[in-house]
Each structure stands twice: as C-alpha cells, then as structure tokens.
Amino acid sequence: MQIYPAIDIKDGRAVRLRQGLAADVTDYGTPAEAAMDWKTQGATYLHVVDLDGAFEGKGRNLPLVAEIVRETGLPVELGGGIRTMEDIEARLTLGVARVILGTVALTDPDLVRRACARYPGRIACGIDAKDGRVAVRGWVEASDVDPVDLALRMKDAGVLDVIYTDIRRDGMQTGPNVEATAELVRRTGLHVIGSGGVGKIQDLYDLRDAGCAGAIVGKALYNGNFTLAQALRLEAE
C-alpha cells in the first residue's frame, strides 16, 4: 500500500484544516520545507493540495508546487481548483506526476473523459463525501450524489485511481471511514486511496485490509502520533 504524506497549501504555507474548514488552520511552515522533511524521512510519493485553488477555483500556488517537485524529485499528485484542460496541462508541465480532479468530476465528466484519453494513468478523481453525499468546490457545496455512483461514472470515463475522503473525519484523527472506503473498493474495483481521519498506525492497517491501494496521512504525522518510517512499513508488506 502506497503511503502519501499530505501537504496542503494555503496562503503560501503548509497547513492542515479540520473538517475542511478554512478558518480552522494549523500552520506547519513552508511547503518546500515540509516536502523535504518527508523526503528525508523516506517518503516515496507526496500528496499536495492547493487549498486556495480549491476554494477560489484558480491556482495561485503553482510556483510552490514547482518548487516541491524540483527540490524533492519525488512523484507528486496534486489537487485543488483543477477545472479545465489548460489547468491540467499547466500542472503536468510543472512535473506533477498525477492530477486530481474533484469538482469537475461531478460538473464536467466529459472533461475527465478527454483528460484520461490524453493523459492515461495521470488523472485521478478526488471524491469527498459529507454525510454520505459528494461535496464539491472546496467541500463547501453539497450534492445529492452517492460517492459510489460518482466513482463508477469516473471508472467509465477512464479513471483508475480515486482518493476518497470523509470530510467529517478529516483532520480529526478519530479514524477513517473504513466501512465506506471498503464499500467503494468492493463495488468499483478501482485503486482507492483512503483519506481523512487517520490518527494511529492501526488506521493504516485497517485501510489496507479494506483493500485500499494507498492512504494519505496528514495531521497524525505532523503531530508525531507515529513516524513516517512506521507507516512506510506497509509499503514493504
């Protein structure tokens, strides 16, 4: 199972939010410093989110993303405010390994289909759920769409990888929504990356046992609940 240390960028800083709330922020320094720290500790892949892009619909942290890619040399998956083919191309040109499409997965599935055809294997879908329904535009707008239904649509569009986040668990360190994540794995057959709520090392094993291809870890690592070295053991098992 791939482990993805998370770096969320807001106002030029590496931060973590609680339940996706922009007003509930903890600052962890510059994004490049955070990225290099995870590389030093053994990270093999980074998960980066441009929160300003997610909230505003346009990326203004691309120079910081480029710095992360350049300084670490690690593969980076990037999400946040990516809503046009031009947005996708701009990020891939920076050297990003994989872009994560969120809002447009719901509002513009044809874009997802075209992107998957043009960049096979480099397009992932971020499915963020609140109370069992998909939320979009930086998690502030709810829909009536079931996450599994959206995932199946994305599979039909050519998506192979899905990042599933339970928003109410995110940043809370109370454990991921293993049941909902396992259902997504079981019903779609996609490579599902679990996200949101990881607080202890056992949570990662629970996601692995649920069939996840990967897990994103944020605040639990920043707070020292366990080490990245401990988490990385799952990549070798």
Side-chain angles (χ1 to χ4, degrees):
M1 184 171 76
Q2 181 71 52
I3 301 298
Y4 300 84
I7 301 171
D8 291 354
I9 305 174
K10 186 176 187 297
D11 299 325
R13 307 290 289 177
V15 304
R16 297 303 298 168
L17 307 185
R18 283 164 53 92
Q19 298 182 324
L21 299 174
D24 197 341
V25 180
T26 303
D27 188 307
Y28 291 102
T30 72
E33 288 171 344
M36 285 303 299
D37 187 30
W38 296 136
K39 179 181 181 178
T40 299
Q41 293 184 46
T44 58
Y45 212 125
L46 298 173
H47 173 83
V48 179
V49 176
D50 180 350
L51 290 175
D52 296 307
F55 290 128
E56 300 169 12
K58 57 182 179 180
R60 50 187 179 86
N61 291 304
L62 293 190
L64 298 176
V65 174
E67 185 179 10
I68 290 172
V69 172
R70 183 177 65 250
E71 294 297 321
T72 67
L74 293 174
V76 171
E77 63 175 21
L78 174 67
I82 306 173
R83 295 172 189 170
T84 67
M85 189 65 79
E86 291 73 22
D87 289 341
I88 294 168
E89 292 169 347
R91 286 148 180 81
L92 293 178
T93 298
L94 292 179
V96 169
R98 183 164 64 202
V99 298
I100 304 166
L101 303 181
T103 296
V104 295
L106 192 62
T107 63
D108 192 358
D110 184 60
L111 171 63
V112 181
R113 189 178 301 277
R114 289 185 288 114
C116 287
R118 186 176 300 184
Y119 303 108
R122 303 187 70 185
I123 306 298
C125 175
I127 297 181
D128 308 317
K130 182 182 289 185
D131 301 325
R133 290 293 179 264
V134 174
V136 295
R137 303 191 190 284
W139 297 357
V140 298
E141 293 184 18
S143 75
D144 60 358
V145 177
D146 180 85
V148 172
D149 290 342
L150 179 59
L152 289 171
R153 292 181 213 169
M154 292 301 98
K155 182 178 183 178
D156 182 66
V159 169
L160 303 176
D161 302 278
V162 166
I163 294 93
Y164 177 74
T165 305
D166 186 316
I167 295 170
R168 294 208 183 277
R169 309 277 184 121
D170 193 68
M172 302 302 290
Q173 304 176 76
T174 54
N177 190 335
V178 176
E179 182 179 353
T181 307
E183 181 183 18
L184 201 65
V185 172
R186 183 175 63 253
R187 293 179 58 185
T188 69
L190 290 165
H191 299 150
V192 176
I193 300 169
S195 172
V198 171
K200 57 185 184 298
I201 197 72
Q202 182 60 45
D203 293 333
L204 296 178
Y205 284 91
D206 290 344
L207 288 172
R208 182 199 63 181
D209 294 344
C212 285
I216 294 167
V217 192
K219 187 168 283 189
L221 283 179
Y222 286 96
N223 288 355
N225 295 16
F226 51 85
T227 67
L228 182 56
Q230 289 175 300
L232 291 173
R233 290 173 190 163
L234 279 90
E235 292 189 356
E237 292 180 1

